[in-house]
């Protein structure tokens, strides 16, 4: 027996007084204490400090509580990157409720499904999208005749929009967001969740092949990923972050909460353009921003009169989504941007792997650096398990850079599950791992590299073709600005690659037939013959609100085009 009666170091009793649930809400309280006068959010002429943001979020939580919105309730937010959607990430969970940020590019029937499925008690909507929300609620009311209970409808005004929209919303009975805040207490005594696994956010998958699935995230996961994202990126205290990535997309990859942890500054960008990005870098001191590869392409290839080069400082860029083509990474690097490549899904709180840069790569040619940086890399600090599994044997594939399998993950930064969808949960978490549906190889150094979504693999004559690898080579053609490759029915091979292409500005007037022939000639010199696109289609590419190319739309278009005839090239 030793002093205090403790025989072993693990015999010390749990000190309940020290247990506090992990939640990113603590970050906001600390930011207001440490840097009360530092700018927290900038949006046009609106400038808030951390103290003001903390008070506004407490007001929001208080006002929601007065409307009986708390534990178990959901608050939907339909808005672009404006201060109110940032405030909702704190104010809603401070009331004990769950924040559901809705993609503003969705149509009314889809939004109606989301609002009904989540049983939204409150709908906060930016004035520009009020008519969209109004139409969605009408559809929902019609579908739920006799049982529909209208949610509290709050409209958010914006000086950058038509004032008539805002007035119209108020005339129809919507509550003014600012007046709603005024009804709340700036000193509201919010409480952290009793259980850190309590839900903090709900987000919906794209639902391109079925109804959208509701991804449920916890306070614990949000806390872990907020800090993990900062560490992985090397973000430091006081970072100035430009919101090019929509906050409705995976809660802004958790950087909504990270910015509070770092006492940094959020610069809101309502609409993304290369000129607006460069302007914010020059005028607001931006140090970091996130964007999909197609957005990086727009920034890298912007006309000289829309850029500010050389950059006044190094600007850190995080990209995820489709694998960024090495030529785009190379162009961004030459402009002075430091690009960090990550990968993840809504189900993993956004990015959860990173192509961690190694100092020994610095001496390699830029082209080789870009190729290495195009890989999806290794797990985040906050992700405990990551591997590539053989889809049939459910065992890890060899680290040979060739054998393909499915990316699987597990740990604190994986979702709680899909809302009201036990069958999808059973499938997603088979064998104790979350199954991503993305196909990849594992290199000898342990870094993974995505080859395709399972549904995007093109099977031509029994051979698998990675659409991403074909796209990567197409980007090397001097006339190609953007491209996406999908399967098209083929009379001889079953399927063959079909390339949808947007040309570099200034070359759109070229003879498309000649350009198509030149692209296919270029491809024959760069790739195996069965990889070469049998058809090339020109025109703008359909995209999501986050800049991702909508391959499901292109697949449908390729199918409508009919099969490639055997006599064709």
């Amino acid at each position: 027996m030793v002093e205090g009666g403790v025989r072993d170091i693990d015999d010390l009793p749990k000190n309940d007084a020290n247990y506090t649930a992990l939640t990113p809400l603590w970050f906001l309280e600390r930011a207001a204490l440490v840097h009360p006068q530092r700018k927290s959010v900038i949006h046009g002429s609106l400038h808030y400090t951390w103290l003001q943001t903390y008070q506004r979020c407490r007001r929001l939580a208080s006002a929601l509580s007065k409307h009986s919105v708390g534990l178990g309730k959901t608050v939907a937010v339909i808005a672009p990157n404006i201060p109110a959607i940032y405030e909702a990430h704190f104010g809603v969970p401070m009331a004990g409720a769950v924040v559901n940020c809705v993609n503003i590019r969705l149509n009314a029937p889809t939004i109606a499904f989301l609002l009904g499925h989540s049983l939204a008690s409150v709908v906060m909507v930016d004035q520009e999208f009020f008519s969209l929300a109004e139409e969605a609620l009408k559809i929902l009311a019609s579908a739920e005749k006799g049982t529909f209970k209208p949610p509290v409808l709050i409209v958010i005004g914006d000086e950058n929009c038509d004032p008539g929209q805002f007035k119209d919303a108020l005339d129809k009975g919507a509550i003014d967001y600012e007046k709603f805040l005024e009804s709340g207490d700036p000193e509201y005594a919010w409480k952290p969740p009793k259980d850190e696994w309590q839900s903090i956010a709900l987000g919906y998958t794209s639902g391109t092949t079925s109804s959208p699935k509701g991804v449920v995230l916890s306070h614990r996961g949000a806390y872990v990923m907020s800090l993990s994202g900062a560490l992985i990126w090397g973000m430091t205290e006081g970072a100035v972050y430009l919101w090019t990535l929509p906050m409705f997309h995976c809660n802004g990859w958790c950087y909504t909460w990270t910015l509070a942890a770092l006492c940094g500054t959020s610069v809101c960008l309502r609409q993304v353009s290369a000129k607006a990005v460069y302007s914010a870098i020059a005028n607001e001191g931006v140090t970091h921003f996130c964007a999909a590869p197609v957005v990086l392409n727009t920034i890298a290839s912007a006309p000289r009169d829309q850029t500010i080069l050389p950059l006044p400082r190094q600007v850190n860029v995080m990209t995820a989504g489709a694998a960024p083509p090495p030529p785009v990474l190379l162009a961004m690097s030459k402009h002075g941007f430091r690009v960090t490549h990550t990968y993840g899904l809504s189900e993993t709180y956004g990015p959860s792997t990173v192509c961690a840069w190694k100092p020994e790569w610095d001496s390699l040619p830029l082209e080789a650096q870009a190729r290495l940086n195009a890989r999806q890399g290794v797990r985040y600090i906050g992700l405990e398990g990551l591997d590539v599994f053989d889809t049939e044997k459910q065992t890890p594939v060899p680290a040979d850079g060739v054998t393909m399998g499915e990316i699987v993950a597990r740990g604190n930064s994986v979702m709680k599950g899909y809302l009201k969808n036990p069958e999808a949960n059973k499938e997603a978490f088979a064998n104790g791992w979350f199954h991503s549906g993305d196909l990849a190889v594992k290199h000898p150094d342990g870094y993974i590299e995505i080859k395709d979504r399972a549904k995007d693999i093109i099977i031509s004559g029994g051979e698998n073709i990675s659409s991403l690898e074909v796209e990567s080579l197409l980007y090397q053609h001097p006339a190609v600005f953007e491209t996406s490759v999908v399967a098209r029915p083929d009379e001889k091979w079953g399927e063959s690659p079909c390339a949808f292409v947007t040309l570099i500005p200034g070359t759109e007037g070229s003879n498309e037939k000649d350009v198509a022939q030149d692209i296919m000639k270029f491809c024959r010199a760069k790739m195996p013959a069965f990889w070469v696109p049998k058809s090339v289609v020109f025109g703008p590419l359909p995209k999501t609100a986050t800049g991702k190319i909508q391959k499901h739309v292109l697949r449908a278009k390729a199918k409508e085009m009919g099969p490639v005839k055997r006599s064709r090239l």
Side-chain angles (χ1 to χ4, degrees):
M1 182 70 71
V2 295
E3 184 180 355
V6 177
R7 293 178 180 276
D8 185 82
I9 193 167
D10 287 327
D11 286 341
L12 284 166
K14 178 184 176 183
N15 187 341
D16 290 332
N18 283 334
Y19 172 77
T20 303
L22 297 181
T23 173
L25 302 182
W26 293 116
F27 302 155
L28 178 56
E29 182 187 58
R30 181 180 180 275
L33 172 68
V34 179
H35 292 289
Q37 299 309 315
R38 177 180 286 176
K39 290 179 182 178
S40 56
V41 180
I42 296 173
H43 179 53
S45 65
L46 282 177
H47 289 215
Y48 293 121
T49 65
W50 277 114
L51 178 58
Q52 289 172 326
T53 293
Y54 185 38
Q55 290 174 337
R56 288 173 64 82
C57 291
R58 292 168 84 178
R59 283 184 180 275
L60 176 56
S62 174
L64 289 171
S65 297
K66 290 179 179 179
H67 282 76
S68 300
V69 177
L71 189 63
K73 299 294 182 68
T74 302
V75 176
V77 186
I78 307 171
N81 289 339
I82 57 175
I85 193 172
Y86 185 82
E87 293 161 359
H89 278 84
F90 294 92
V92 172
M94 277 178 168
V98 175
V99 62
N100 174 27
C101 297
V102 177
N103 188 331
I104 57 177
R105 294 289 180 86
L106 297 176
N107 59 25
T110 304
I111 292 177
F113 171 82
L114 267 56
L115 298 180
H117 188 259
S118 64
L119 301 177
S121 299
V122 177
V123 176
M124 292 169 47
V125 57
D126 175 85
Q127 66 172 70
E128 183 180 350
F129 301 93
F130 180 80
S131 59
L132 177 65
E134 185 181 34
E135 183 181 353
L137 289 172
K138 287 180 180 177
I139 293 172
L140 184 58
S142 177
E144 298 181 357
K145 289 180 180 178
T147 61
F148 177 68
K149 183 179 179 181
V152 176
L153 186 58
I154 301 170
V155 62
I156 307 158
D158 192 324
E159 64 180 16
N160 301 294
C161 297
D162 178 5
Q165 295 173 326
F166 184 62
K167 183 179 183 301
D168 180 60
L170 294 180
D171 289 343
K172 292 181 177 179
I175 302 172
D176 179 351
Y177 177 69
E178 292 300 324
K179 291 192 182 308
F180 188 73
L181 292 190
E182 289 174 9
S183 71
D185 181 2
E187 302 298 321
Y188 177 69
W190 65 275
K191 295 179 181 179
K194 291 182 179 180
D195 184 347
E196 60 194 25
W197 291 105
Q198 181 177 312
S199 303
I200 189 172
L202 171 66
Y204 282 86
T205 60
S206 59
T208 56
T209 57
S210 60
S211 294
K213 295 191 288 287
V215 177
V216 183
L217 308 180
S218 71
H219 281 257
R220 177 185 178 86
Y223 181 98
V224 169
M225 288 305 285
S226 298
L227 297 181
S228 188
L231 289 169
I232 286 294
W233 208 3
M235 291 181 83
T236 56
E237 200 266 354
V240 180
Y241 182 91
L242 178 65
W243 281 104
T244 48
L245 173 77
M247 287 186 229
F248 61 68
H249 185 56
C250 302
N251 303 103
W253 296 352
C254 289
Y255 285 109
T256 44
W257 298 304
T258 300
L259 267 293
L262 298 177
C263 306
T265 301
S266 287
V267 180
C268 293
L269 197 59
R270 189 180 180 93
Q271 294 181 325
V272 178
S273 67
K275 185 176 182 180
V277 170
Y278 281 107
S279 177
I281 290 170
N283 301 324
E284 304 293 355
V286 169
T287 59
H288 295 76
F289 68 88
C290 297
V294 290
V295 177
L296 300 192
N297 194 16
T298 299
I299 294 169
S301 59
R304 191 68 178 84
D305 61 353
Q306 294 183 17
T307 67
I308 300 170
L309 297 172
L311 297 175
R313 74 195 69 80
Q314 184 182 73
V315 178
N316 297 277
V317 183
M318 180 174 282
T319 189
V328 175
L329 292 174
L330 179 60
M332 289 292 287
S333 179
K334 287 181 176 179
H335 280 357
F337 294 96
R338 182 176 178 271
V339 181
T340 298
H341 179 207
T342 61
Y343 155 80
L345 308 97
S346 299
E347 292 88 341
T348 60
Y349 293 75
S352 53
T353 80
V354 60
C355 189
W357 192 259
K358 297 183 178 182
E360 55 265 35
W361 295 349
D362 290 336
S363 59
L364 297 174
L366 288 177
E367 290 80 2
Q369 291 185 25
R371 283 196 300 272
L372 286 169
N373 202 19
R375 302 184 299 174
Q376 282 64 39
V378 295
R379 62 183 175 84
Y380 258 37
I381 296 167
L383 181 67
E384 287 70 38
L386 175 74
D387 214 326
V388 179
F389 275 14
D390 182 294
T391 54
E392 292 184 3
K393 299 177 182 177
Q394 290 299 298
T395 55
V397 301
D400 57 12
V402 176
T403 307
M404 198 149 29
E406 182 184 21
I407 298 174
V408 295
R410 64 184 176 192
N412 287 290
S413 55
V414 175
M415 67 171 179
K416 294 174 65 175
Y418 296 118
L419 180 66
K420 305 174 187 175
N421 202 332
E423 287 302 314
N425 287 327
K426 182 179 179 180
E427 182 181 348
F429 290 106
N431 301 311
W433 290 81
F434 168 70
H435 294 259
S436 69
D438 287 322
L439 301 180
V441 298
K442 186 165 53 177
H443 289 278
D445 61 1
Y447 282 49
I448 66 171
E449 181 180 3
I450 287 181
K451 291 301 179 181
D452 230 329
R453 287 288 294 175
K455 61 187 177 185
D456 291 336
I457 285 288
I458 302 166
I459 304 175
S460 185
E463 297 283 352
N464 288 351
I465 302 173
S466 166
S467 64
L468 296 184
E469 291 194 33
V470 178
E471 289 164 7
S472 182
L473 291 168
L474 279 169
Y475 269 105
Q476 297 178 25
H477 189 281
V480 174
F481 176 64
E482 289 181 335
T483 185
S484 185
V485 175
V486 300
R488 179 181 175 185
D490 190 293
E491 283 189 349
K492 182 177 182 179
W493 304 110
E495 292 181 346
S496 63
C498 177
F500 289 85
V501 172
T502 300
L503 297 175
I504 292 285
T507 62
E508 299 98 327
S510 306
N511 185 295
E512 291 186 349
K513 185 177 180 180
D514 290 343
V515 176
Q517 292 293 333
D518 187 66
I519 287 175
M520 286 191 271
K521 179 181 177 182
F522 174 87
C523 289
R524 291 189 191 101
K526 294 281 186 179
M527 60 184 74
F530 68 97
W531 284 24
V532 176
K534 301 295 188 295
S535 44
V536 179
V537 181
F538 297 100
L541 302 179
K543 298 174 186 175
T544 68
T546 57
K548 291 183 182 179
I549 295 170
Q550 295 176 305
K551 280 201 168 186
H552 68 284
V553 175
L554 297 179
R555 280 196 295 269
K557 187 172 182 179
K559 187 175 181 180
E560 290 173 3
M561 290 165 60
V564 175
K565 304 298 181 182
R566 294 189 63 175
S567 61
R568 291 190 57 165
L569 290 176

